[in-house]
Amino acid sequence: MLLILTSPAFAGNKVIKLLAIGNSFTVDACSQDLYGFFEAAGQPVIIGYVTKGGSCFEQHIRWAKSDSTAFVYNKIVEGHNKAGKGATLSQALKDEPWDIVTFQQQ
């Protein structure tokens, strides 16, 4: 995280757009801690997180291939968490021009 926050590519007021794909661990990290790191560094950020609790990489791939709405998509904008809703992975990927996309599994 420190590397991202100190990278010249993200210097200034450019809003970093980060999308995290994963399970309940991703929800915990994004909803509890991640925004605060960016805020403390004075770095504007939009955080999207597409999750399905208890899921592994193989399940994510199956749902992505079938364009399933099995995922819940949440988004944090200006510190406010917009309520999650059922979504496909492709919808979340197209929602913003993401700078960073991460993947986390079991």
Side-chain angles (χ1 to χ4, degrees):
M1 184 60 61
L2 182 58
L3 176 65
I4 293 169
L5 296 177
T6 60
S7 169
F10 298 111
N13 290 327
K14 179 191 184 317
V15 176
I16 294 175
K17 296 179 180 182
L18 185 147
L19 178 66
I21 303 166
N23 56 30
S24 60
F25 293 112
T26 304
V27 173
D28 294 344
C30 290
S31 65
Q32 296 174 15
D33 301 322
L34 191 56
Y35 185 84
F37 290 130
F38 284 95
E39 185 177 43
Q43 175 61 60
V45 66
I46 292 174
I47 300 170
Y49 50 107
V50 183
T51 59
K52 177 68 174 166
S55 301
C56 65
F57 184 74
E58 290 79 14
Q59 289 170 313
H60 285 291
I61 295 299
R62 279 196 306 275
W63 291 324
K65 286 181 178 180
S66 68
D67 216 26
S68 170
T69 58
F71 299 99
V72 174
Y73 177 44
N74 289 279
K75 194 169 172 182
I76 302 172
V77 179
E78 296 180 352
H80 302 286
N81 196 347
K82 297 184 177 187
K85 61 178 184 174
T88 66
L89 184 55
S90 64
Q91 288 170 324
L93 287 167
K94 292 175 187 173
D95 186 43
E96 294 280 352
W98 302 107
D99 298 303
I100 302 165
V101 177
T102 66
F103 198 95
Q104 176 273 322
Q105 70 159 1
Q106 288 176 308

